[in-house]
Amino acid sequence: MQGIEKSFADLPVLRGVDFEVDAGSIFALLGSNGAGKTTLVKILSTLLTADAGHAVVHGVDVTEHPAEVRRAISLTGQFAAVDGVLTGRENLVLVARLRHLPDPGSVADDLLIRFGLADAAQRRVATYSGGMRRRLDIAMSLIGDPPIIFLDEPTTGLDPQARNEVWQTVQDLARGGTTVLLTTQYLDEAEHLADRIAILHRGTIIQNGTLAELKQLLPPGEVTYVEKQPSLEDVFLALVGPTAPDEGDHR
C-alpha cells in the first residue's frame, strides 16, 4: 500500500500510509484509539474507499477489483459476530451454507476440532466464555480458507486467559500459512505476536520494523546491577509521547 489518505468531512484520519505485509506473517498495526487503524482495515477490506493512494491485497487492487479482494480475505472486528441462540456447530454450518460449500457439517466439525471447541459444539454460544466466543468468531471467518485475515483489535474486552487463547489461535493461523494483519492498541499483544510492527500515529506510519529493530531506536539500558533492555512500550511512548490525544475511534 502506498500513500493511503482518508478524511471524514474536514477531519483527516489517514495522511499517507505506506507499508507491505509478507505472506504467511503476522503484521501488527499498533496505535492509540483514534489513530486510524479501523479506517485503514476498512479500506483494505473494501468497506471504505480511500481518498488517495493505492492498495493491493493478495495481488489485487482493492479499488479496481473489490469482489476479488473480498474472496481472498476475511475480517473479524472488535466484537464477536456470533449468534448466541445457536450452538457453536450451528453457527459454523450456517456460514458454510451461506458460502455454498459442499458438506457444511464436515467443515464445521473440522473447525471445531482445530479451534478446541469440539466439546462445546452442541452448547448454545450464549453459554461460551469470551475467549471461546472469539475463537468461534475467528473459526467462522476462516470458512472457505481465505489466505488473508484481518483481525481488528480481536482481544478488546477479554480477560487475560481469553487473550492468551486468542493469541495462540493467531499464532496457529500464521504457522498454517495464513497472512494475518492485526490491529491493536495493546503493546504486549504486538510484542508477543507480530513478526513486524508498524506504529500508526495521527494518520501516518511513524516506524515500521521487527521488534528488535524498533528496540534499537532507543539507547541500550543503563547497567547498574541488571541491564534493562527497552520494551516495546518504551519505544512507543518515546515515538508518540507519554500522552496521545484521544480523537475518537474513527470508522
Side-chain angles (χ1 to χ4, degrees), residues 3 22 26 35-36 39 48 51 57 79 93 96 128 162 181 183 188 198 210 212 234 242 245:
D22 293 333
I26 301 174
T39 297
L48 281 177
D51 298 332
V57 174
F79 304 100
V93 167
Y128 283 16
L181 191 151
T183 75
D188 60 335
T210 65
D234 296 326

Side-chain angles (χ1 to χ4, degrees), residues 37-240:
K37 303 185 301 296
T38 296
T39 297
L40 189 55
V41 167
K42 286 184 176 181
I43 290 171
L44 291 174
S45 58
T46 76
L47 297 177
L48 281 177
T49 302
D51 298 332
H54 179 69
V56 173
V57 174
H58 201 54
V60 180
D61 187 285
V62 299
T63 301
E64 295 180 1
H65 305 288
E68 289 186 39
V69 171
R70 287 192 288 270
R71 284 193 289 269
I73 68 170
S74 185
L75 170 63
T76 298
Q78 297 178 24
F79 304 100
V82 295
D83 190 324
V85 175
L86 301 178
T87 67
R89 188 176 189 275
E90 287 169 343
N91 270 275
L92 292 166
V93 167
L94 175 61
V95 175
R97 286 176 174 166
L98 290 173
R99 289 184 176 269
H100 306 290
L101 297 181
D103 200 356
S106 293
V107 172
D109 292 337
D110 289 344
L111 285 168
L112 288 164
I113 293 171
R114 178 179 174 185
F115 284 86
L117 295 169
D119 290 344
Q122 303 304 326
R123 283 170 46 193
R124 290 176 55 199
V125 172
T127 68
Y128 283 16
S129 67
M132 293 170 67
R133 291 170 67 92
R134 177 55 76 187
R135 278 154 48 206
L136 177 64
D137 190 33
I138 295 174
M140 290 166 62
S141 71
L142 292 178
I143 291 175
D145 295 320
I148 299 170
I149 182 169
F150 298 121
L151 300 177
D152 189 18
E153 301 197 21
T155 62
T156 297
L158 297 184
D159 61 40
Q161 181 178 356
R163 289 183 72 204
N164 286 334
E165 292 176 4
V166 174
W167 286 3
Q168 184 62 54
T169 298
V170 173
Q171 290 172 321
D172 290 343
L173 289 175
R175 280 193 287 267
T178 303
T179 302
V180 179
L181 191 151
L182 167 79
T183 75
T184 184
Q185 59 181 308
Y186 299 130
L187 303 175
D188 60 335
E189 187 158 87
E191 188 166 6
H192 185 82
L193 292 176
D195 298 303
R196 292 188 69 84
I197 301 164
I199 298 177
L200 182 65
H201 183 58
R202 295 185 176 178
T204 61
I205 300 292
I206 57 175
Q207 286 295 338
N208 181 353
T210 65
L211 178 61
E213 290 168 346
L214 293 178
K215 286 186 175 183
Q216 289 175 1
L217 296 172
L218 297 185
E222 296 183 0
V223 177
T224 51
Y225 296 103
V226 178
E227 181 178 350
K228 179 183 181 295
Q229 293 296 325
S231 67
L232 180 58
E233 182 175 5
D234 296 326
V235 176
F236 181 83
L237 293 177
L239 291 170
V240 306

